[in-house]
Amino acid sequence: MPFQITILDTNEVYSCKETQHLLSGMMQLGKKGIPVGCRSGGCGVCKVKIHQGAYATKKMSRDHVSQDEENSGTVLACRVFPQTNISLSVIGHLHKAVMR
Amino acid sequence: MAMTGILRPGHIQLRVLDMDESVNHYCNNIGLIETDRDEQGRVYLKCWDEQDKFSVVLEPSDRSGMDHVAYKVATEQDLWHYESKIKKFGIDTKRVPAGELKGCGERVRFVVPAGHIFELYAEKEQVGNGLSTTNPAPWPRGLKGMEPIRFDHCLLYGNNFEENFKFFTEALDFQLTEQIVDGEVQLAAFLTCSTKAHDVAFIRSEKSAQLHHASFLLGSWEGVLKAGDIISMEDIPLETGPTRHGLTRGQTIYFFDPSGNRNEVFAEDSYVYPDSPVLTWTADNIGQAIFYHSRTLVDSFMGVTS
């Protein structure tokens, strides 16, 4: 059964299965709110703070999320698989890496 | 022999978060061939048509990105020649002993002004491409995945752009093939040490030492389309493509490995000779320079690195 994911910044709500990471659920429904990058835990743009809910994680690059952050619920959305309904706020952003 | 000095990108060492997932991605999905492993847990891979033992090294790590990229030089004399030129430019070098990577000779290691670790080496064990050197068949049977021919180049984001450009063209004798310019300011430099459209490319960035992508050559546009099929079949995060670049006119598709390192597979890009003119793309046309069909920049493509 899918869980409800709430992006607190925009009040966007979408559903996500426990076999899907949070970005995959969002993208599949054409929803927006969390920046989408590599979707594999390496680039850091989808960094979020989980306020409520239980979840499983996969490995994420320590360049972007420290162990302490991970322990306190600051994670990469593409590495988070929901086990209950979740509410989160967005920390990461797509910056313009090309200098003009 | 017309081609001397620095010959080609010989290998790239990528940091990966989960080795089993990564080996599956690079071997079964892209289609590289595993040739060895070492006691540090590193896995050595090659594309089918490469003679040398490996062109990709996967290193177990808790972070993503590129550890280093190494270029092969023609002779040991070239190695000491470039070591001296690099030092003369004002950059420290370090020698990594032969065998630190299995089958690779002594390497000269240095940090380029853009922040990345580069290496040069003259010797690597040759294991062949699976075909006879007498009356060879055109390709070996049993290839997997996207059937890449070779590790072709990497594209890197970094700072100290002018100094870095000077280092590559003056100390390492690379040739500028194509560029993106905003007035007088160079935003992108495609550089070759051979006759390829690029053996390395740099994008001007505020951040140091970022990997944008590691790229593998395919045989045809049909191969690029088939790569797109495999990307969807295997649920690999696709970024963009199949499409064509304006720059290098390569036919291309971009996706991510299981650690978020970006990969490209491409076919049929352009070539240069030492007397070829530099091709220039202007910043007001950057959309077409990068994605020739859509003429629209993709936010993640511009902003996401590992």
Side-chain angles (χ1 to χ4, degrees):
Chain A
M1 191 180 117
F3 300 109
Q4 295 296 106
I5 313 301
T6 306
I7 303 174
L8 296 171
D9 312 68
T10 55
N11 290 321
E12 183 86 77
V13 180
Y14 63 93
S15 61
C16 186
K17 295 181 220 158
E18 64 180 330
T19 52
Q20 273 183 312
H21 60 72
L22 296 183
L23 276 189
S24 162
M26 183 187 82
M27 290 170 70
Q28 202 172 40
L29 297 169
K31 302 272 187 173
K32 291 194 164 69
I34 308 171
V36 175
C38 73
R39 289 155 279 160
S40 301
C43 78
V45 302
C46 67
K47 196 167 180 175
V48 295
K49 167 81 182 164
I50 307 282
H51 294 270
Q52 245 176 1
Y55 54 89
T57 57
K58 286 180 72 174
K59 276 192 189 172
M60 50 197 97
S61 176
R62 288 281 169 253
D63 277 346
H64 302 293
V65 178
S66 68
Q67 187 67 60
D68 285 351
E69 284 180 310
E70 191 176 333
N71 293 344
S72 65
T74 296
V75 289
L76 303 183
C78 69
R79 303 277 90 180
V80 171
F81 299 78
Q83 294 174 334
T84 64
N85 292 344
I86 280 183
S87 61
L88 59 85
S89 57
V90 176
I91 298 173
H93 59 278
L94 261 171
H95 46 90
K96 279 223 159 77
V98 181
M99 214 157 73
R100 298 288 285 273
Chain B
M1 183 173 70
M3 200 183 292
T4 59
I6 300 174
L7 299 178
R8 61 173 175 270
H11 67 256
I12 185 168
Q13 183 165 321
L14 296 169
R15 294 187 293 262
V16 301
L17 304 175
D18 183 305
M19 188 55 77
D20 290 344
E21 282 185 6
S22 302
V23 169
N24 179 58
H25 173 81
Y26 282 95
C27 293
N28 293 326
N29 296 339
I30 298 184
L32 279 78
I33 299 159
E34 183 177 331
T35 55
D36 213 341
R37 295 189 177 218
D38 67 22
E39 49 293 330
Q40 294 179 46
R42 293 180 298 189
V43 178
Y44 297 60
L45 313 172
K46 73 184 281 289
C47 298
W48 75 262
D49 205 17
E50 291 166 321
Q51 300 287 341
D52 288 355
K53 177 171 173 164
F54 60 88
S55 61
V56 172
V57 180
L58 303 177
E59 171 198 351
S61 178
D62 62 2
R63 55 203 194 104
S64 308
M66 179 179 89
D67 178 78
H68 74 270
V69 60
Y71 283 68
K72 192 174 194 185
V73 299
T75 66
E76 201 172 327
Q77 245 178 342
D78 291 322
L79 195 57
W80 313 137
H81 168 72
Y82 281 105
E83 182 185 52
S84 149
K85 282 190 84 172
I86 293 162
K87 283 184 172 152
K88 209 173 281 177
F89 192 86
I91 289 179
D92 286 341
T93 63
K94 194 182 120 184
R95 291 188 187 180
V96 182
E100 195 279 332
L101 278 165
K102 284 164 100 172
C104 190
E106 191 169 17
R107 289 134 59 201
V108 171
R109 170 173 271 232
F110 48 98
V111 179
V112 303
H116 309 79
I117 298 172
F118 271 66
E119 294 182 348
L120 300 176
Y121 66 92
E123 296 290 333
K124 193 182 279 177
E125 182 190 338
Q126 291 207 325
V127 298
N129 65 357
L131 304 172
S132 173
T133 53
T134 306
N135 305 325
W139 43 268
R141 303 294 296 265
L143 297 177
K144 284 186 178 176
M146 303 172 192
E147 304 183 11
I149 294 165
R150 67 171 182 233
F151 166 54
D152 190 86
H153 65 269
C154 53
L155 188 146
L156 307 172
Y157 277 40
N159 56 2
N160 299 320
F161 197 81
E162 282 81 10
E163 183 74 357
N164 193 65
F165 180 76
K166 194 167 177 245
F167 176 68
F168 272 84
T169 52
E170 292 179 13
L172 300 184
D173 298 326
F174 277 58
Q175 176 186 350
L176 179 67
T177 60
E178 300 199 35
Q179 59 183 347
I180 305 176
V181 297
D182 188 356
E184 297 296 303
V185 180
Q186 201 178 34
L187 300 180
F190 285 57
L191 298 161
T192 186
C193 56
S194 62
T195 63
K196 285 155 60 186
H198 51 337
D199 285 295
V200 69
F202 284 96
I203 306 286
R204 178 186 292 266
S205 175
E206 286 169 357
K207 280 210 247 170
S208 169
Q210 296 293 302
L211 171 68
H212 187 272
H213 68 261
S215 182
F216 302 93
L217 176 69
L218 305 185
S220 69
W221 165 240
E222 193 178 357
V224 178
L225 188 73
K226 186 180 149 196
D229 296 339
I230 292 170
I231 286 164
S232 184
M233 280 177 208
E234 300 299 330
D235 200 14
I236 297 167
L238 169 72
E239 186 168 57
T240 194
T243 183
R244 183 193 288 279
H245 284 308
L247 281 148
T248 77
R249 72 189 183 214
Q251 302 150 6
T252 180
I253 187 165
Y254 286 90
F255 51 101
F256 291 95
D257 83 0
S259 309
N261 300 310
R262 190 186 281 98
N263 298 142
E264 176 191 31
V265 292
F266 77 99
E268 302 183 75
D269 62 342
S270 58
Y271 58 89
V272 296
Y273 290 107
D275 59 348
S276 298
V278 173
L279 305 182
T280 297
W281 296 82
T282 54
D284 58 2
N285 197 34
I286 194 169
Q288 193 185 32
I290 296 179
F291 298 119
Y292 197 76
H293 299 155
S294 70
R295 307 166 69 125
T296 304
L297 294 180
V298 172
D299 284 344
S300 64
F301 189 82
M302 303 308 288
V304 167
T305 55
S306 64

